[in-house]
Amino acid sequence: MKVGFAQFNPKFDAIEENLSRVEKLLENVSSDVIVLPEMFATGYLFPDADYARKLAEPTGDGQIFYAMVRWAKKYDCLIVGGFPEIHNQKLYNSSIAVQPDGKWHLYRKIHLFDREKLIFQPGNIDYEPFEFRGAKLGMLICFDWIFPESYRVLMLKGTQIILHPSNLVLPYCQKASFARAVENRMFIILTNRTGSEKLDEITLQFTGGSIIYSPRGEILAKASENEETVKVVDINPAEADDKNVTPRNNVMTDRRPEYYRYLIEKK
Amino acid sequence: MKVGFAQFNPKFDAIEENLSRVEKLLENVSSDVIVLPEMFATGYLFPDADYARKLAEPTGDGQIFYAMVRWAKKYDCLIVGGFPEIHNQKLYNSSIAVQPDGKWHLYRKIHLFDREKLIFQPGNIDYEPFEFRGAKLGMLICFDWIFPESYRVLMLKGTQIILHPSNLVLPYCQKASFARAVENRMFIILTNRTGSEKLDEITLQFTGGSIIYSPRGEILAKASENEETVKVVDINPAEADDKNVTPRNNVMTDRRPEYYRYLIEKK
């Protein structure tokens, strides 16, 4: 199975321009899965909820979604990316995975970062993998990375590949994802964006460095901090089913949940 | 508070020789806490349980323990290290932290590695920090590292500093501990050993690289792969109480345990 990321510099509040740029980036790409950044079509630094609401679209219905459907069909590829979702009048920082047949899977960011708390509702859907072409895929968004529980739940539910659209402003996650890959024996496709955004006194400089890890922590592909690029690698998702680190050790069955109760007792 | 590690090459089944070597290593050391490797006095590669039983000692009573008591008193320092413990006829891969007043704290390795499963009982004591000189310290041993749950439980119980005696044969943990430090905002003192051990066709090459991380993932001290060395750094344990990564984000209170239930439901 071929999987990849598309790293670029989305422009704030320029949906059509961003969609055209992705269109160009994807030209001639051949892959089963492509992961775009968080908020890839709208940009990130919304002044307030009202502004975000103007750029948001209903689940599975809007120009961002229909562009993704078009690409998925054209490239016979699962297209994954982040967008501001409006559902029952509420805003979510969401990621959607759109199949070539138009079927889609949704994730709403469970751990909101910084000013997102002023704008979005925290995610309200359980971590749950879905199947595509025989592989089990699970979505996270950006700041979810600092909570190892997120990956762990997806791993325990059989996820082989983490799809991780991001807008990272620190370079920690790219490095820490090594631990996530190795401790869970999963593939990780971390897509970050490049460039910067400004709002009044706030300037965010995004750190690029999109990266794909194997379940053994090998780097299969990596982008630099600033390049706009698509990288695709060929993987065997079933490698992620082997949870053994020695013939006697297995990161799934060696767990001792009776000693982990505090993880859910303590808020 | 001054904290450090002592990395060296223990010789298998040579307790007195190993104790003398630690004695020499510690000469002129000034620290509040020193962490020695896992099985620092006995070596690691026990042919079988009977052999381990001969080298094991009862909790808080044996030549390894009394040497630690002597060092703790002489250097006015908490001495932490791993030893084969025998308790109610059962063997454990344990770590003990001995105070200058002779009081001690015990941890029994919860996640056993490879052949340890043929020799030791899995640990049966909850992850629980203890106080020393106003700091909250928690112990892990070697392979516990691949289970982020271990650190997380200790973090949620207020641990500021992880004391981590190890006998690592891969270089993964030294690197992955960056994620552990940052995701939990804790100090980590990871002590590994050097050298190698042989048993029939098995050869273990230990990877050294003992390392101290700050709660922000900075490397405060690091040993090379092969050197025998003590390194001590001055830290403020209270830095680990600041769980904020932004003014609006806190790795403790931003957790959403209602989405983590699977961590203890699923074995």
Side-chain angles (χ1 to χ4, degrees), chain B residues 51-172:
Chain B
Y51 205 113
R53 201 169 289 270
K54 284 191 292 180
L55 297 177
E57 60 181 50
T59 331
D61 183 17
Q63 62 177 321
I64 303 169
F65 174 74
Y66 291 117
M68 293 174 82
V69 171
R70 200 169 63 244
W71 301 330
K73 194 167 176 177
K74 182 171 170 191
Y75 296 106
D76 191 31
C77 175
L78 184 81
I79 304 284
V80 185
F83 73 107
E85 182 200 5
I86 186 155
H87 181 74
N88 289 341
Q89 264 105 73
K90 288 192 171 120
L91 286 170
Y92 298 93
N93 179 338
S94 298
S95 175
I96 193 162
V98 183
Q99 301 185 175
D101 62 5
K103 204 183 151 196
W104 48 267
H105 310 270
L106 186 76
Y107 167 68
R108 292 175 179 149
K109 192 173 186 175
I110 283 184
H111 306 95
L112 295 175
F113 185 70
D114 207 352
R115 294 184 71 261
E116 292 166 26
K117 292 189 177 187
L118 309 177
I119 294 166
F120 300 104
Q121 301 295 311
N124 55 1
I125 305 174
D126 273 328
Y127 291 113
E128 198 67 55
F130 62 92
E131 266 199 59
F132 178 70
R133 295 189 179 161
K136 287 186 96 173
L137 313 174
M139 287 184 275
L140 297 175
I141 301 175
C142 204
F143 188 58
D144 284 325
W145 79 266
I146 212 164
F147 303 90
E149 295 90 344
S150 313
Y151 301 71
R152 210 55 155 175
V153 170
L154 282 169
M155 183 273 263
L156 292 171
K157 292 186 175 183
T159 304
Q160 296 165 323
I161 309 172
I162 296 285
L163 313 169
H164 194 182
S166 297
N167 275 191
L168 295 159
V169 291
L170 289 170
Y172 288 180

Side-chain angles (χ1 to χ4, degrees), chain B residues 169-235:
Chain B
V169 291
L170 289 170
Y172 288 180
C173 172
Q174 294 90 326
K175 197 173 157 189
S177 295
F178 165 79
R180 301 289 182 255
V182 165
E183 75 208 25
N184 294 299
R185 297 266 148 165
M186 296 191 294
F187 291 94
I188 293 177
I189 307 172
L190 168 61
T191 308
N192 196 18
R193 60 163 288 181
T194 62
S196 63
E197 286 191 24
K198 235 177 125 56
L199 172 70
D200 304 328
E201 301 91 71
I202 306 167
T203 302
L204 297 182
Q205 178 69 46
F206 301 99
T207 54
S210 298
I211 197 163
I212 303 179
Y213 282 101
S214 81
R216 291 168 182 275
E218 299 139 326
I219 296 174
L220 303 180
K222 190 171 177 8
S224 69
E225 192 181 329
N226 294 307
E227 65 182 325
E228 301 211 336
T229 184
V230 177
K231 292 202 190 283
V232 174
V233 296
D234 207 343
I235 63 165

Side-chain angles (χ1 to χ4, degrees), chain B residues 231-247:
Chain B
K231 292 202 190 283
V232 174
V233 296
D234 207 343
I235 63 165
N236 176 9
E239 273 178 34
D241 297 336
D242 177 10
K243 301 299 184 194
N244 273 71
V245 291
T246 73

Side-chain angles (χ1 to χ4, degrees), chain A:
Chain A
M1 169 175 261
K2 286 157 84 180
V3 300
F5 59 74
Q7 169 176 301
F8 74 110
N9 180 5
K11 190 170 159 188
F12 183 70
D13 192 3
I15 293 181
E16 280 171 36
E17 194 179 327
N18 291 326
L19 294 180
S20 301
R21 295 172 77 191
V22 175
E23 190 101 33
K24 270 211 164 146
L25 262 177
L26 294 184
E27 251 171 33
N28 307 315
V29 162
S30 161
S31 187
D32 296 289
V33 177
I34 287 288
V35 182
L36 297 162
E38 181 183 11
M39 300 293 175
F40 76 91
T42 57
Y44 179 78
L45 208 42
F46 307 104
D48 54 38
D50 284 343
Y51 206 113
R53 200 170 289 269
K54 284 191 293 180
L55 297 177
E57 59 182 49
T59 331
D61 183 17
Q63 62 177 322
I64 303 170
F65 174 73
Y66 291 116
M68 294 175 81
V69 171
R70 201 168 63 243
W71 301 329
K73 196 167 176 179
K74 181 171 172 192
Y75 296 107
D76 191 30
C77 174
L78 184 81
I79 303 285
V80 185
F83 73 107
E85 181 200 6
I86 186 153
H87 181 74
N88 289 340
Q89 265 105 73
K90 288 192 170 121
L91 286 170
Y92 299 93
N93 180 338
S94 297
S95 175
I96 194 162
V98 183
Q99 300 185 176
D101 61 6
K103 205 183 149 194
W104 48 267
H105 310 271
L106 186 77
Y107 167 68
R108 293 177 178 147
K109 192 172 187 176
I110 282 184
H111 306 95
L112 294 175
F113 184 69
D114 207 352
R115 293 184 72 262
E116 292 166 27
K117 292 189 176 186
L118 309 177
I119 293 166
F120 300 103
Q121 301 295 310
N124 56 359
I125 305 174
D126 272 327
Y127 290 113
E128 199 67 56
F130 61 92
E131 266 199 57
F132 178 70
R133 296 189 177 158
K136 287 186 96 173
L137 314 174
M139 286 184 275
L140 297 175
I141 302 176
C142 204
F143 188 57
D144 284 325
W145 78 267
I146 213 165
F147 303 89
E149 295 90 344
S150 313
Y151 301 71
R152 210 55 155 176
V153 169
L154 282 169
M155 182 273 263
L156 292 170
K157 292 186 174 183
T159 304
Q160 296 165 322
I161 309 172
I162 296 285
L163 313 169
H164 194 181
S166 297
N167 276 192
L168 295 159
V169 290
L170 289 169
Y172 289 179
C173 171
Q174 293 91 326
K175 196 173 159 190
S177 295
F178 165 79
R180 301 289 182 255
V182 165
E183 75 208 25
N184 294 299
R185 297 266 149 168
M186 296 191 293
F187 291 93
I188 293 176
I189 307 172
L190 169 61
T191 307
N192 196 18
R193 61 163 287 181
T194 61
S196 64
E197 286 192 23
K198 234 176 126 58
L199 172 70
D200 304 328
E201 300 91 71
I202 307 167
T203 302
L204 297 183
Q205 179 70 46
F206 301 99
T207 55
S210 299
I211 196 162
I212 303 179
Y213 282 101
S214 82
R216 292 168 181 275
E218 298 140 326
I219 296 173
L220 303 180
K222 190 170 179 7
S224 70
E225 192 182 329
N226 293 307
E227 65 180 326
E228 301 210 336
T229 183
V230 178
K231 292 202 189 285
V232 174
V233 296
D234 207 343
I235 63 165
N236 176 9
E239 273 178 36
D241 297 336
D242 177 10
K243 301 299 185 195
N244 273 71
V245 291
T246 74
R248 293 190 185 89
N249 287 105
N250 182 295
V251 294
M252 189 182 273
T253 56
D254 278 353
R255 296 176 73 250
R256 300 188 63 200
E258 62 273 31
Y259 291 98
Y260 308 156
R261 284 184 303 266
Y262 213 69
L263 292 179
I264 65 155
E265 283 167 15
K266 167 83 182 176
K267 169 89 185 186

